[in-house]
Each structure stands twice: as structure tokens, then as C-alpha cells.
Amino acid sequence: MIQLTHLQRLEAESIHIFREVAAECEKPVLLYSIGKDSAVLLHLAQKAFYPSRPPFPLLHVDTTWKFREMIEFRDRRAGELGLELLVHINEDGVNAGVNPFESGSRLHTDVMKTQGLKQALDRYGFDAAFGGARRDEEKSRAKERVFSLRSKEHRWDPKTQRPEPWRLYNTRKRPGESFRVFPLSNWTEADVWDYIAKENIPIPSLYFAKTRPVVRRDGALIMRDDERMALRPGEEVEHLSVRFRTLGCYPLTGAIESTAATLPDIIAEMRASKVSEREGRIIDHDGSASMEQKKQEGYF
Amino acid sequence: MAYAFAEQDFAPGAPAPLVASHASEKALLRFITCGSVDDGKSTLIGRMLLDARAIAEDQIAALDRDSKKFGTQNGALDFALLVDGLAAEREQGITIDVAYRYFRTDKRAFIVADTPGHEQYTRNMATGASTADLAILLIDARKGILPQTRRHAFIVSMLGVRDVALAINKMDLVDYSEARFNEIVAAFHDMARELNFRTVAPLPISALNGDNIAALSERTPWFLGEALLPLLENIETACAQDHEEPFRFPVQWVNRPDLDFRGFSGWVAAGAIRVGDEIVSLPSGKASRVHRIVTQDGDLDAALAGQSVTLTLADEIDASRGDVLVAAEKRPQVASQARARLLWTAETDMHPGASYIVKLGARTANATVADIHHLIDIHTFAPAAARPIRLNEIALATVRFDRPMIIGDYCDNRDLGGFILIDRITNETVAFGLIDRRPAQENEEASEGERAAARPQRPRSRLRPPARLASALFSGFCVGAGAVALGASPATGLLLGFADALLRPFARSVYADHRLNRANAAAPSEERLDSGGGI
């Protein structure tokens, strides 16, 4: 008997989720955050609706602190695929001078990401937003549904989650409520990399090792991507061969020293790695339940 | 429509090969773990993740911090905290919600649904079981079969899990006693007689010490089965997609990029389809043929259960979301009502006559619970008097639909046999429904063939139908020849042989039932029963 492989099963399930949203929600959007998970998400969205184009735009909530290469990559991909790209910046936050250095990671993330996301969803009236989150990333995500219902205020209530038996998703909601939908729920980091390799999906070169200007700060290697990052006394820029396991705001994303410059190298390095991918994410270390808290406040 | 696909049935160079082509691609096994807090379920999962090297060092560091803060193991690593991810769970020290865990070995990828043991979270356990291929039922060796073991066994059986690993844990606390192990295994078989499991693989384990988890333990030399991880790597489950089922394809989304293309996008819920095959769209009954099987990676010659594809048809027939394209010669039932087991998942009681929204496959309709026939006691498995259904209770009921639904027995197909009921005011999911077509029902126009198709699943013989026929004829011949050799007349021999050929398959199916009940006693090699030795 021929059996589908686990990547084929995961792909088919994700496509099924995309189509459910297209069929049952009025105004979906794909939250495109430029990283590898978003790249897979976008690839699956194209597969789900082929030969049609995905019937929704892409939305990037720009904190203004992303790596420059991410922004170039974002604009290039949207152009190549002929997809509508919406970029939202929380201008209130910019005007208030919120930034990751002086405001701290927590406030910066809350204002520029969480509040920015809520503003954008409200502004366009989206009732379903696809996100690339995976259950293997973090403990509270492990308990989240594929269709995660959010209140009018975008809050997540872990205690009233709807059960999701089989492949049946209850997509009923009241006016103002919305869904965050996670087609990659059951994928792992290893699955994502294997799929990128198998399907030849373009990703930003920041994932590949290269000599880059980095600063050692608070135990992390931070790439100095532009002049806004002022050096503290005693700090100096080193040029090291580094790469990134996840991509976010550059001041909050730790690089790892690596020489893995190809996909097979990266996959081999990940297999041998003893730390999880979010180790490099400074925003996740604000306490064990911090992701749950951020999610309750509306973070996707 | 029964296909036996060979690799070459697919287009040469087809971009989506149906067998593993990439070194990293593996088969996937989904399983559920059931047990209560004290059975050591979290410890077992933590142990499996550790042994499969699926926990990173920073996660162990975080676990160490949390264990000192919230732990129940006197500061030692408390694996429960690794899986209990919600703040409320950590505070209360219990698992509330189903959590999914992922790990890989060299042979397989695994998705673990870690589900709560408390009765008040039965619906979360049922959710985990609904997509599981296998269940690990955990039993504390000191306590043996508890009421919750019966409840867990019943729910996984009801949700269609046919293969069970019976993990008898804390063997270290009973001195790795073979007699104690055998006693519990026997009690389980006795209890599970009606639960229709195909495989019951008992294992004596200690999650804490790692006995019989990754490898066989020296402390249980009497145990002749496989250790848990190898078992999970090797077991062939009943749930493996069966491509010999008739084709079922709920239309999810009509794909119309331009006026020249009209495709039906969906998920192959059962069977297989090839270009040129005849299909019928239900409920309309309009027939056509498959013209193309479209994917972004190129057209396919065939598609199998579990794949998401887009079909175009040779004729312009009307079909929309919620309709089902099916094999022309083997159609499912189109019904305006169905008998189903309902698992109630809402805080508010269900009263007969109440109206809900039903979602089955890709189809949504209004539904009324017309009759509650009886409740099912999940501890004794016995029917109980009908009354309003409360949270976490199960009842057999008749549900009426306001539009024709394309349904099948849950045992045959989870996609056409499973549904949810939704409260139209609160939008809550209030029930899981499992269509039960086993006995013939009134007001149904099912043909004999359909009734036959709706019989409960029997443990399958490994022989394919032609081989089965050949085997029956051959054994008939042997019986006949044997009779002649023993002095019977040729005519009697012929008659005996003929009767044998005719009756043996029947006898075999009766015997199979019998074997099922005594799951561990018979033919271990054929049914992949891993004997615990001395049972």
C-alpha cells in the first residue's frame, strides 16, 4: 500500500485549512513576516488555490526595525508573485519614539507588533488572519487551535477554546470577532527546513552563514544592521561568520556563529543543535508564560 | 472501485511522487496518550521526547527553573511542566487542554496528542483521539484497571482508534513482577472485549527509569515484545489510508480563475481517483468523468486519500461547496436524518428537539436532535435511560437535517461519518457526532449493497480478495481430496470441498471476531500483537 510521506500529509492538511478559510471567511489576510515560516505559508497558499491566485492580500506589520534585507526580500517576493502587499506601521508608536533600545523589548514588541497588528486588522476589517506560528515553537502555542478565535479586542482566551475534532473547524463568529488561523500548526522546525529544501522555496539570505558585522551584547550576537544601533562603551563591531535561525527585529534577534552556507548545511546544523530556535529571540525570555500573556493581549 | 496502485501508475517524472523520494521524508504516526495525572503520563512523554532527543538544552534549562518554582518532584525535573503550557495548568498542576508534541526518529515522524485525564475534559481527549492512529493507554501497575482506564478505552475506541499500546507503568514499584503485569493485561482484555480493538500491545514500563521505552530493559527479561519507541516506529495501524475504499471527495472550494477553468478543490477523504474515472456529484446525482487532476506541481494521473487536489470534470455539471464527488458505482447514502453517537461538549444541557448548525465534511446545514434513544455509560459501556445530555456525556440520538447530507458510517470513514453541532446563538461547538449506521434503520432507502458496506469493520485478512478466493478454493480442494483419501466417495468429497470453499470465509470472519475478543491470545504474527509473554 502506498503511503503518503509526513511532508505530503502536512502539506495536504495545510492546503485544506487555507481552503476552509477562503470558503468560510469574508475577508482573510495572510500575515507575512518574511521569515522561513512565512515563506512556507505563502508557498502553501499558492498551492491551495492554483491555478487561481490566493484570494487574499499579504499584510506585513513593519516595526521599522526589521533587517534591511528582509524589507527588500518582502517587496521583491510580492512583486514576483503578483500579490497585493499591505504594509502597516504603528505611527503612534513611531511618533512616541518607541524603539527596542530605549523602550525595552517588551514595550517595543507590544506597541509596534501587537498594537500595530490590531490597528491593521481593524483598519482593513479582516476577519481571518493566517499566521505561520507552529505548535512546536512554544508551550502555550502547543495548546492553541488551528482556528483561534479572537474577541473584538483581539484577545485570546485559552479557557474557552473550541474543540477541533477531525478536520472540522467551527468558523462561526460574531460581528467584530476574528480568527487567527495557523496552517502550519503541526509542522516542526525540521519539517519547515525539509520542505524548503524539497520545494526549493526562496528565503532571505540572512538564514545562511556569511561574514556580518556583529556586536556582543547581553550574551547575544546582535548584527549592527544600520547606524541607529549606537555602540555602548567597550563594545566593538566584530566581523564574524554568522547566520540567523529566526528573523525578527534586528536589535532583538541573536545570531549564531556558523559556517552553514547551504540548505543541507543548515539542516545538518539544526539536527545537531542542542538549543531551540527561539533561544535567539530576546522577546521570549520575559518569563515562562510570557507568550501566553502576549497572545492574550492580541499578539498572534 | 478497488485499485492496487503501483508506482508506475503515476506519470513518469510526476513532480509529486507518491513514495518517499527525499531522505528526510518519513511516514507519519499520530498517537494519543491517555492516563490520569498520577499515572505518569507527562513523565512518559517527557521520557520519549528525551530519548528521541526532541528536547533542546535551553528547554531543559527552562524546565529546571520551572520545576524548582512549580514542580511536584521536590525540585527534580518535573516533566509535566514541559507539556502543561498554560499558566492555569501550571498553577493547578493538572492538564486541562490537549497539547500537541512532535518528534522524529530515523524511521517515522510522530505527532503526539497529550490529553487530559480528568473526566471534565473528556471532550479534549476525544479531540486528540479523533485524528489518532494509535492510543497509548497508561496504567499504574500498583492500581491496575481503574474506572478512568475504562473511560479512556471506551472513548478512544468510539473515536475509531483500533490500535492500542497498553503501557503498564511504574513497574519499578511492583518489583517488575511478571505476575502483576499478566494480571493487569488479562483484566484489560476482559474489559475491552466489546471495544473492537485490532491490536493490543501490552508493555511493562517505567517512564521514570526508562525501562522498555527506547530499548528493552534488563529488568524485565520475561518480556518478549518490543519496547515502546520501536513499537511506535514499526506498527502498521488500521488507520493507514486505505486506498481500496470507494472514492469520496467533499468539494471544499470551487476554483474559477477565469471563464475557461472550473475546478473543484478538496481533500480526498477516501479511496483513489484517476483521470477518466466516472464520478457522480451528490446530492444532485449528476454524473461525469474526471478530466484533469490539477496541482501547482503539474497534473497528476491519480490522487489518493489524504491528498489535497483540484479536479476538473469532462462535463459542465453543477457542484458547489459541500457537495461530494463519489465513485459512480459505489455511492454513499444521501440522508435527511441519521443515527449518531453524540458526545456533548457544552456546559449547557441538550434537550430533544433543540436546533443546531451541523458541519459534516464541507457541508453546513441546520440540524435538530429529534430523539435521544439512550445514554451510554462510559464506565460500564451499558445503555442508560434517555434524558437531556450533559457535558461530557454520550448518547445515541437521531439527528434530522434540513438539507440532504452525504453520510457514511463513522467506522468506515471519519470524514463522512463525523460531524460537529454548533449552537447558533453562542457559536460554541456543542457536540461531536459519530454516525452509526450499523443496524438497518427505518426511513432509509439504503440498498442491500449499501447496508453491506455499512457493516462494522472487521479485522482485515491480509490477503487481497483474489488471493482470498484462491485460498478458499484451495482449502476446499484439500478438504475434498482429504475426504476422498479417507474413503469417502468422490461425490461426497466434491460436496465437502465445495461446502468448505463456501463456508470457510464465513467461518474465518467469525473466527476473526473471536480472535479480536481475545486479542492477545491468537496469531500474533498476523495481527501484530506483541505478546507480553506468558499470557
CSV table of all heavy atoms in Angstrom, one decimal, chain B residues 137-188:
chain,number,residue,atom,x,y,z
B,137,LEU,N,-2.5,3.7,26.2
B,137,LEU,CA,-3.3,3.8,27.4
B,137,LEU,C,-2.3,3.5,28.6
B,137,LEU,O,-1.7,2.4,28.6
B,137,LEU,CB,-4.4,2.7,27.4
B,137,LEU,CG,-5.5,3.0,26.4
B,137,LEU,CD1,-6.6,1.8,26.5
B,137,LEU,CD2,-6.2,4.3,26.7
B,138,LEU,N,-2.3,4.4,29.5
B,138,LEU,CA,-1.3,4.2,30.6
B,138,LEU,C,-2.0,3.7,31.9
B,138,LEU,O,-3.1,4.1,32.2
B,138,LEU,CB,-0.8,5.6,30.9
B,138,LEU,CG,0.7,5.7,31.3
B,138,LEU,CD1,1.6,5.2,30.2
B,138,LEU,CD2,1.1,7.1,31.7
B,139,ILE,N,-1.4,2.7,32.5
B,139,ILE,CA,-2.0,2.1,33.7
B,139,ILE,C,-0.9,2.1,34.8
B,139,ILE,O,0.2,1.7,34.5
B,139,ILE,CB,-2.5,0.7,33.4
B,139,ILE,CG1,-3.7,0.8,32.4
B,139,ILE,CG2,-2.9,0.0,34.7
B,139,ILE,CD1,-4.2,-0.6,32.0
B,140,ASP,N,-1.3,2.5,36.0
B,140,ASP,CA,-0.3,2.4,37.1
B,140,ASP,C,-0.3,0.9,37.6
B,140,ASP,O,-1.4,0.4,38.0
B,140,ASP,CB,-0.8,3.4,38.2
B,140,ASP,CG,0.1,3.4,39.4
B,140,ASP,OD1,0.8,2.4,39.7
B,140,ASP,OD2,0.2,4.5,40.0
B,141,ALA,N,0.9,0.3,37.5
B,141,ALA,CA,1.0,-1.1,37.9
B,141,ALA,C,0.4,-1.4,39.3
B,141,ALA,O,0.0,-2.5,39.5
B,141,ALA,CB,2.4,-1.6,37.7
B,142,ARG,N,0.5,-0.4,40.2
B,142,ARG,CA,0.1,-0.7,41.5
B,142,ARG,C,-1.4,-0.7,41.6
B,142,ARG,O,-2.0,-1.4,42.4
B,142,ARG,CB,0.6,0.4,42.5
B,142,ARG,CG,2.1,0.4,42.6
B,142,ARG,CD,2.6,1.6,43.3
B,142,ARG,NE,2.1,2.8,42.6
B,142,ARG,CZ,2.2,4.1,43.0
B,142,ARG,NH1,2.8,4.3,44.2
B,142,ARG,NH2,1.8,5.1,42.3
B,143,LYS,N,-2.1,0.1,40.7
B,143,LYS,CA,-3.5,0.3,40.9
B,143,LYS,C,-4.3,-0.6,39.9
B,143,LYS,O,-5.5,-0.8,40.1
B,143,LYS,CB,-3.9,1.8,40.6
B,143,LYS,CG,-3.3,2.7,41.6
B,143,LYS,CD,-3.6,4.1,41.3
B,143,LYS,CE,-2.9,5.1,42.1
B,143,LYS,NZ,-2.8,6.5,41.5
B,144,GLY,N,-3.7,-1.0,38.8
B,144,GLY,CA,-4.4,-1.8,37.8
B,144,GLY,C,-5.5,-1.0,37.1
B,144,GLY,O,-5.4,0.2,37.0
B,145,ILE,N,-6.5,-1.7,36.6
B,145,ILE,CA,-7.6,-1.0,35.8
B,145,ILE,C,-8.4,-0.2,36.7
B,145,ILE,O,-9.0,-0.7,37.7
B,145,ILE,CB,-8.5,-2.1,35.1
B,145,ILE,CG1,-7.6,-3.1,34.4
B,145,ILE,CG2,-9.5,-1.4,34.2
B,145,ILE,CD1,-7.1,-2.8,33.1
B,146,LEU,N,-8.5,1.1,36.4
B,146,LEU,CA,-9.4,2.0,37.2
B,146,LEU,C,-10.6,2.4,36.3
B,146,LEU,O,-10.6,2.2,35.1
B,146,LEU,CB,-8.5,3.2,37.6
B,146,LEU,CG,-7.4,3.0,38.5
B,146,LEU,CD1,-6.6,4.3,38.6
B,146,LEU,CD2,-7.8,2.5,39.8
B,147,PRO,N,-11.6,3.0,37.0
B,147,PRO,CA,-12.7,3.5,36.2
B,147,PRO,C,-12.3,4.4,35.0
B,147,PRO,O,-12.8,4.3,33.9
B,147,PRO,CB,-13.5,4.3,37.2
B,147,PRO,CG,-13.2,3.6,38.5
B,147,PRO,CD,-11.8,3.2,38.4
B,148,GLN,N,-11.2,5.2,35.3
B,148,GLN,CA,-10.8,6.1,34.2
B,148,GLN,C,-10.2,5.3,33.0
B,148,GLN,O,-10.2,5.7,31.9
B,148,GLN,CB,-10.0,7.2,34.6
B,148,GLN,CG,-8.7,6.8,35.3
B,148,GLN,CD,-8.4,7.8,36.5
B,148,GLN,OE1,-9.3,8.5,36.9
B,148,GLN,NE2,-7.2,7.7,37.0
B,149,THR,N,-9.6,4.2,33.3
B,149,THR,CA,-9.0,3.3,32.3
B,149,THR,C,-10.1,2.9,31.3
B,149,THR,O,-10.0,2.9,30.1
B,149,THR,CB,-8.3,2.1,32.8
B,149,THR,OG1,-7.5,2.5,34.0
B,149,THR,CG2,-7.4,1.4,31.8
B,150,ARG,N,-11.2,2.5,31.9
B,150,ARG,CA,-12.4,2.0,31.2
B,150,ARG,C,-12.9,3.2,30.3
B,150,ARG,O,-13.2,3.0,29.1
B,150,ARG,CB,-13.5,1.5,32.1
B,150,ARG,CG,-13.0,0.4,33.0
B,150,ARG,CD,-14.2,0.1,34.0
B,150,ARG,NE,-15.3,-0.5,33.3
B,150,ARG,CZ,-15.5,-1.7,33.0
B,150,ARG,NH1,-14.6,-2.6,33.4
B,150,ARG,NH2,-16.6,-2.1,32.4
B,151,ARG,N,-13.0,4.4,30.9
B,151,ARG,CA,-13.5,5.5,30.2
B,151,ARG,C,-12.6,5.9,29.0
B,151,ARG,O,-13.0,6.1,27.9
B,151,ARG,CB,-13.6,6.7,31.2
B,151,ARG,CG,-14.3,7.9,30.6
B,151,ARG,CD,-14.7,8.9,31.7
B,151,ARG,NE,-13.6,9.2,32.6
B,151,ARG,CZ,-12.6,10.1,32.3
B,151,ARG,NH1,-12.7,10.8,31.2
B,151,ARG,NH2,-11.6,10.3,33.2
B,152,HIS,N,-11.3,5.9,29.3
B,152,HIS,CA,-10.3,6.3,28.2
B,152,HIS,C,-10.4,5.2,27.1
B,152,HIS,O,-10.4,5.6,25.9
B,152,HIS,CB,-8.9,6.3,28.8
B,152,HIS,CG,-8.6,7.4,29.8
B,152,HIS,ND1,-7.6,7.4,30.6
B,152,HIS,CD2,-9.4,8.5,30.0
B,152,HIS,CE1,-7.7,8.5,31.4
B,152,HIS,NE2,-8.7,9.1,31.1
B,153,ALA,N,-10.4,4.0,27.5
B,153,ALA,CA,-10.5,2.9,26.5
B,153,ALA,C,-11.8,3.0,25.6
B,153,ALA,O,-11.7,2.9,24.4
B,153,ALA,CB,-10.5,1.5,27.1
B,154,PHE,N,-12.9,3.4,26.3
B,154,PHE,CA,-14.1,3.5,25.6
B,154,PHE,C,-14.1,4.7,24.6
B,154,PHE,O,-14.5,4.5,23.4
B,154,PHE,CB,-15.3,3.7,26.6
B,154,PHE,CG,-16.6,3.8,25.9
B,154,PHE,CD1,-17.3,2.7,25.5
B,154,PHE,CD2,-17.2,5.1,25.7
B,154,PHE,CE1,-18.5,2.9,24.8
B,154,PHE,CE2,-18.4,5.2,25.0
B,154,PHE,CZ,-19.0,4.1,24.6
B,155,ILE,N,-13.5,5.8,25.0
B,155,ILE,CA,-13.5,7.0,24.2
B,155,ILE,C,-12.6,6.8,23.0
B,155,ILE,O,-13.0,7.1,21.8
B,155,ILE,CB,-13.2,8.2,25.0
B,155,ILE,CG1,-14.3,8.5,25.9
B,155,ILE,CG2,-12.9,9.4,24.0
B,155,ILE,CD1,-13.9,9.5,27.0
B,156,VAL,N,-11.4,6.2,23.2
B,156,VAL,CA,-10.6,6.0,22.0
B,156,VAL,C,-11.2,5.0,21.1
B,156,VAL,O,-11.1,5.2,19.8
B,156,VAL,CB,-9.1,5.6,22.4
B,156,VAL,CG1,-8.4,6.7,23.2
B,156,VAL,CG2,-9.0,4.3,23.1
B,157,SER,N,-11.8,4.0,21.6
B,157,SER,CA,-12.5,3.0,20.7
B,157,SER,C,-13.6,3.7,19.9
B,157,SER,O,-13.8,3.5,18.7
B,157,SER,CB,-13.0,1.9,21.6
B,157,SER,OG,-14.1,1.2,20.9
B,158,MET,N,-14.4,4.5,20.6
B,158,MET,CA,-15.5,5.1,20.0
B,158,MET,C,-15.1,6.1,18.9
B,158,MET,O,-15.7,6.2,17.8
B,158,MET,CB,-16.4,5.9,21.0
B,158,MET,CG,-17.5,6.7,20.4
B,158,MET,SD,-18.6,7.4,21.6
B,158,MET,CE,-18.2,9.1,21.4
B,159,LEU,N,-13.9,6.7,19.1
B,159,LEU,CA,-13.4,7.7,18.1
B,159,LEU,C,-12.7,7.0,17.0
B,159,LEU,O,-12.1,7.6,16.1
B,159,LEU,CB,-12.5,8.7,18.8
B,159,LEU,CG,-13.2,10.0,19.3
B,159,LEU,CD1,-13.8,10.8,18.1
B,159,LEU,CD2,-14.2,9.8,20.3
B,160,GLY,N,-12.7,5.6,17.0
B,160,GLY,CA,-12.2,4.9,15.9
B,160,GLY,C,-10.7,4.5,16.0
B,160,GLY,O,-10.2,4.1,15.0
B,161,VAL,N,-10.1,4.6,17.1
B,161,VAL,CA,-8.7,4.2,17.3
B,161,VAL,C,-8.7,2.6,17.5
B,161,VAL,O,-9.4,2.2,18.4
B,161,VAL,CB,-8.0,4.8,18.4
B,161,VAL,CG1,-6.6,4.3,18.6
B,161,VAL,CG2,-8.0,6.4,18.3
B,162,ARG,N,-8.1,1.9,16.6
B,162,ARG,CA,-8.1,0.4,16.6
B,162,ARG,C,-6.9,-0.2,17.2
B,162,ARG,O,-6.9,-1.4,17.5
B,162,ARG,CB,-8.3,-0.1,15.2
B,162,ARG,CG,-9.6,0.3,14.5
B,162,ARG,CD,-10.8,-0.6,14.9
B,162,ARG,NE,-11.4,-0.2,16.2
B,162,ARG,CZ,-12.4,0.5,16.3
B,162,ARG,NH1,-13.1,1.0,15.2
B,162,ARG,NH2,-12.9,0.9,17.5
B,163,ASP,N,-5.8,0.6,17.4
B,163,ASP,CA,-4.6,0.0,17.9
B,163,ASP,C,-4.2,0.7,19.2
B,163,ASP,O,-4.1,1.9,19.3
B,163,ASP,CB,-3.5,0.2,16.8
B,163,ASP,CG,-3.9,-0.5,15.5
B,163,ASP,OD1,-4.0,-1.7,15.5
B,163,ASP,OD2,-4.2,0.2,14.5
B,164,VAL,N,-3.9,-0.1,20.1
B,164,VAL,CA,-3.6,0.4,21.5
B,164,VAL,C,-2.3,-0.2,22.0
B,164,VAL,O,-2.0,-1.4,21.9
B,164,VAL,CB,-4.7,-0.1,22.4
B,164,VAL,CG1,-4.3,0.1,23.9
B,164,VAL,CG2,-6.0,0.7,22.1
B,165,ALA,N,-1.4,0.7,22.5
B,165,ALA,CA,-0.3,0.2,23.3
B,165,ALA,C,-0.7,0.4,24.8
B,165,ALA,O,-1.0,1.5,25.2
B,165,ALA,CB,0.9,1.1,23.0
B,166,LEU,N,-0.7,-0.7,25.5
B,166,LEU,CA,-1.1,-0.7,26.8
B,166,LEU,C,0.1,-0.6,27.7
B,166,LEU,O,0.8,-1.6,28.0
B,166,LEU,CB,-1.9,-2.0,27.1
B,166,LEU,CG,-2.6,-2.2,28.5
B,166,LEU,CD1,-3.8,-1.2,28.5
B,166,LEU,CD2,-3.1,-3.6,28.7
B,167,ALA,N,0.4,0.6,28.1
B,167,ALA,CA,1.7,0.8,28.9
B,167,ALA,C,1.4,0.7,30.3
B,167,ALA,O,0.8,1.6,31.0
B,167,ALA,CB,2.2,2.2,28.5
B,168,ILE,N,1.9,-0.4,30.9
B,168,ILE,CA,1.7,-0.6,32.3
B,168,ILE,C,3.0,0.0,33.0
B,168,ILE,O,4.1,-0.6,33.0
B,168,ILE,CB,1.5,-2.1,32.6
B,168,ILE,CG1,0.2,-2.4,31.9
B,168,ILE,CG2,1.4,-2.3,34.1
B,168,ILE,CD1,-0.2,-3.9,31.8
B,169,ASN,N,2.7,1.1,33.7
B,169,ASN,CA,3.8,2.0,34.1
B,169,ASN,C,4.1,1.7,35.6
B,169,ASN,O,3.3,1.1,36.3
B,169,ASN,CB,3.4,3.5,33.9
B,169,ASN,CG,4.6,4.4,34.1
B,169,ASN,OD1,5.7,4.0,34.0
B,169,ASN,ND2,4.3,5.6,34.4
B,170,LYS,N,5.2,2.3,36.1
B,170,LYS,CA,5.6,2.2,37.4
B,170,LYS,C,5.9,0.7,37.8
B,170,LYS,O,5.7,0.3,38.9
B,170,LYS,CB,4.6,2.8,38.4
B,170,LYS,CG,4.3,4.2,38.0
B,170,LYS,CD,3.6,5.0,39.2
B,170,LYS,CE,3.3,6.4,38.7
B,170,LYS,NZ,2.6,7.2,39.7
B,171,MET,N,6.4,0.0,36.8
B,171,MET,CA,6.8,-1.4,37.1
B,171,MET,C,7.9,-1.5,38.2
B,171,MET,O,8.0,-2.5,38.9
B,171,MET,CB,7.3,-2.1,35.8
B,171,MET,CG,6.2,-2.4,34.8
B,171,MET,SD,4.9,-3.5,35.4
B,171,MET,CE,5.8,-5.1,35.6
B,172,ASP,N,8.6,-0.4,38.3
B,172,ASP,CA,9.7,-0.4,39.3
B,172,ASP,C,9.1,-0.5,40.7
B,172,ASP,O,9.7,-1.0,41.7
B,172,ASP,CB,10.5,0.9,39.2
B,172,ASP,CG,9.7,2.1,39.1
B,172,ASP,OD1,8.6,2.1,38.5
B,172,ASP,OD2,10.1,3.2,39.7
B,173,LEU,N,7.8,0.0,40.9
B,173,LEU,CA,7.2,0.0,42.2
B,173,LEU,C,6.5,-1.4,42.5
B,173,LEU,O,6.0,-1.6,43.6
B,173,LEU,CB,6.2,1.1,42.3
B,173,LEU,CG,6.8,2.5,42.1
B,173,LEU,CD1,5.8,3.6,42.3
B,173,LEU,CD2,8.0,2.7,43.1
B,174,VAL,N,6.5,-2.3,41.5
B,174,VAL,CA,6.0,-3.6,41.8
B,174,VAL,C,7.0,-4.7,41.5
B,174,VAL,O,6.7,-5.8,41.2
B,174,VAL,CB,4.7,-3.9,41.0
B,174,VAL,CG1,3.5,-3.0,41.4
B,174,VAL,CG2,4.9,-3.8,39.5
B,175,ASP,N,8.3,-4.2,41.7
B,175,ASP,CA,9.4,-5.1,41.5
B,175,ASP,C,9.5,-5.8,40.2
B,175,ASP,O,9.9,-7.0,40.0
B,175,ASP,CB,9.5,-6.2,42.6
B,175,ASP,CG,9.7,-5.6,44.0
B,175,ASP,OD1,10.3,-4.5,44.0
B,175,ASP,OD2,9.1,-6.1,45.0
B,176,TYR,N,9.0,-5.2,39.2
B,176,TYR,CA,9.0,-5.7,37.8
B,176,TYR,C,8.3,-7.1,37.8
B,176,TYR,O,8.8,-8.0,37.1
B,176,TYR,CB,10.4,-5.7,37.2
B,176,TYR,CG,11.0,-4.3,37.1
B,176,TYR,CD1,11.8,-3.8,38.1
B,176,TYR,CD2,10.7,-3.5,36.0
B,176,TYR,CE1,12.3,-2.5,38.0
B,176,TYR,CE2,11.2,-2.3,35.9
B,176,TYR,CZ,12.0,-1.8,36.9
B,176,TYR,OH,12.5,-0.5,36.8
B,177,SER,N,7.2,-7.2,38.5
B,177,SER,CA,6.6,-8.5,38.6
B,177,SER,C,5.8,-8.9,37.4
B,177,SER,O,4.9,-8.2,36.9
B,177,SER,CB,5.6,-8.5,39.8
B,177,SER,OG,4.6,-9.5,39.7
B,178,GLU,N,6.3,-10.1,36.8
B,178,GLU,CA,5.6,-10.6,35.6
B,178,GLU,C,4.1,-11.0,35.9
B,178,GLU,O,3.2,-10.7,35.2
B,178,GLU,CB,6.4,-11.8,35.1
B,178,GLU,CG,5.7,-12.4,33.9
B,178,GLU,CD,6.5,-13.6,33.4
B,178,GLU,OE1,7.4,-14.1,34.1
B,178,GLU,OE2,6.1,-14.1,32.3
B,179,ALA,N,3.9,-11.5,37.1
B,179,ALA,CA,2.6,-12.0,37.5
B,179,ALA,C,1.6,-10.8,37.6
B,179,ALA,O,0.5,-10.8,37.1
B,179,ALA,CB,2.7,-12.7,38.9
B,180,ARG,N,2.1,-9.7,38.2
B,180,ARG,CA,1.3,-8.5,38.3
B,180,ARG,C,0.9,-7.9,36.9
B,180,ARG,O,-0.2,-7.6,36.6
B,180,ARG,CB,2.0,-7.4,39.1
B,180,ARG,CG,1.3,-6.1,39.3
B,180,ARG,CD,-0.1,-6.3,40.0
B,180,ARG,NE,-0.8,-5.1,40.2
B,180,ARG,CZ,-2.1,-5.0,40.2
B,180,ARG,NH1,-2.9,-6.1,40.1
B,180,ARG,NH2,-2.7,-3.9,40.3
B,181,PHE,N,2.0,-7.9,36.0
B,181,PHE,CA,1.8,-7.5,34.7
B,181,PHE,C,0.7,-8.3,34.0
B,181,PHE,O,-0.3,-7.8,33.4
B,181,PHE,CB,3.1,-7.6,33.9
B,181,PHE,CG,3.0,-7.2,32.5
B,181,PHE,CD1,2.9,-5.9,32.0
B,181,PHE,CD2,3.1,-8.2,31.5
B,181,PHE,CE1,2.9,-5.6,30.7
B,181,PHE,CE2,3.1,-8.0,30.2
B,181,PHE,CZ,3.0,-6.6,29.7
B,182,ASN,N,0.9,-9.6,34.0
B,182,ASN,CA,-0.1,-10.5,33.4
B,182,ASN,C,-1.5,-10.4,33.9
B,182,ASN,O,-2.5,-10.4,33.2
B,182,ASN,CB,0.4,-12.0,33.5
B,182,ASN,CG,1.6,-12.3,32.7
B,182,ASN,OD1,1.9,-11.5,31.8
B,182,ASN,ND2,2.3,-13.4,33.0
B,183,GLU,N,-1.6,-10.1,35.2
B,183,GLU,CA,-2.9,-10.0,35.8
B,183,GLU,C,-3.6,-8.7,35.2
B,183,GLU,O,-4.8,-8.8,34.9
B,183,GLU,CB,-2.6,-9.8,37.3
B,183,GLU,CG,-3.9,-9.8,38.2
B,183,GLU,CD,-3.4,-9.4,39.6
B,183,GLU,OE1,-2.2,-9.5,40.0
B,183,GLU,OE2,-4.3,-8.9,40.4
B,184,ILE,N,-2.9,-7.6,35.1
B,184,ILE,CA,-3.5,-6.4,34.6
B,184,ILE,C,-3.8,-6.6,33.1
B,184,ILE,O,-4.9,-6.2,32.6
B,184,ILE,CB,-2.5,-5.2,34.8
B,184,ILE,CG1,-2.3,-4.9,36.2
B,184,ILE,CG2,-3.1,-4.0,34.1
B,184,ILE,CD1,-1.3,-3.9,36.6
B,185,VAL,N,-2.9,-7.2,32.3
B,185,VAL,CA,-3.2,-7.4,30.9
B,185,VAL,C,-4.5,-8.3,30.7
B,185,VAL,O,-5.3,-8.0,29.9
B,185,VAL,CB,-2.0,-8.1,30.2
B,185,VAL,CG1,-2.3,-8.5,28.8
B,185,VAL,CG2,-0.8,-7.2,30.2
B,186,ALA,N,-4.6,-9.3,31.5
B,186,ALA,CA,-5.8,-10.2,31.4
B,186,ALA,C,-7.0,-9.4,31.8
B,186,ALA,O,-8.1,-9.5,31.1
B,186,ALA,CB,-5.6,-11.4,32.3
B,187,ALA,N,-6.9,-8.6,32.8
B,187,ALA,CA,-8.1,-7.8,33.2
B,187,ALA,C,-8.5,-6.8,32.1
B,187,ALA,O,-9.7,-6.5,31.8
B,187,ALA,CB,-7.8,-7.0,34.5
B,188,PHE,N,-7.5,-6.3,31.4
B,188,PHE,CA,-7.8,-5.3,30.4
B,188,PHE,C,-8.5,-6.0,29.2
B,188,PHE,O,-9.5,-5.5,28.7
B,188,PHE,CB,-6.5,-4.7,29.8
B,188,PHE,CG,-6.8,-3.6,28.8
B,188,PHE,CD1,-7.1,-2.3,29.1
B,188,PHE,CD2,-6.7,-4.0,27.4
B,188,PHE,CE1,-7.4,-1.4,28.2
B,188,PHE,CE2,-7.0,-3.0,26.5
B,188,PHE,CZ,-7.3,-1.7,26.8
